[in-house]
Amino acid sequence: MAEEQEPGGGGPLPLGVIDVAGPSMRPTLRDGDRVLVRYGARIRPGAVVVVRHPLRQDLLVVKRAVGRRAGGWWLLSDNPLVTSDSREYGPVPAELVLGRVLLRLRPSPAWLAPARGLERALNGAVLERLPALAERFGVHRPLDLGPLDAEP
């Protein structure tokens, strides 16, 4: 869950600040973390995103975009013990995906949206040898859930 602190702006970089609530994104994000969101940003698999909950659209949630499926984005919690994600409510329509989390502001700043080239490099051998460095740049090895076109 998330609580919006500042609405997205109307300029070329609509940014907002969100407070994270709950354990679903541990270890990447923790309860009480504050993150910077770029609304309307292009989403790609692996990105941490802010979405309107598909069953309760007054609620914003922070999840990891795993990939596209028929009907929208398949979103997962980073915490494998929390299943309040697409495993529960299915694919989330693209229009409910509001933006991408760029960085954690507090308690300590950490970049969560590396450039595509850096993300590819960190996903390679660096992720195996230096997982703390990859984590610092927001690179996360997703759970293997089989083919994305398979129904959950």
Side-chain angles (χ1 to χ4, degrees):
M1 287 188 281
E3 180 179 319
E4 191 166 14
Q5 295 296 311
E6 299 171 20
L13 292 176
L15 301 173
V17 176
I18 301 284
D19 283 343
V20 176
S24 74
M25 289 303 291
R26 288 183 71 132
T28 307
L29 296 170
R30 299 177 185 276
D31 186 49
D33 284 359
R34 183 167 277 184
V35 296
L36 180 68
V37 177
R38 179 170 181 202
Y39 293 101
R42 179 177 295 175
I43 307 301
R44 64 179 185 251
V48 178
V49 296
V50 173
V51 303
R52 290 198 183 283
H53 192 289
L55 304 176
R56 232 184 102 198
Q57 293 184 18
D58 60 325
L59 178 66
L60 298 180
V61 294
V62 177
K63 299 291 176 193
R64 187 162 308 267
V66 175
R68 289 189 177 266
R69 287 196 178 178
W73 280 95
W74 192 257
L75 306 176
L76 292 178
S77 304
D78 279 1
N79 183 341
L81 301 176
V82 176
T83 60
S84 59
D85 52 27
S86 287
R87 292 171 286 184
E88 179 181 296
Y89 44 73
V92 175
E95 60 270 14
L96 297 181
V97 179
L98 302 178
R100 182 171 184 175
V101 175
L102 299 178
L103 62 105
R104 181 181 64 219
L105 299 170
R106 81 164 190 230
S108 60
W111 188 250
L112 295 175
R116 190 177 297 254
L118 177 59
E119 188 170 32
R120 267 193 295 254
L122 290 170
N123 262 321
V126 174
L127 186 58
E128 296 296 328
R129 290 189 200 123
L130 302 169
L133 176 63
E135 183 179 323
R136 179 80 175 143
F137 282 96
V139 175
H140 167 76
R141 176 155 296 163
L143 298 171
D144 182 15
L145 296 175
L148 287 179
D149 57 355
E151 286 301 315

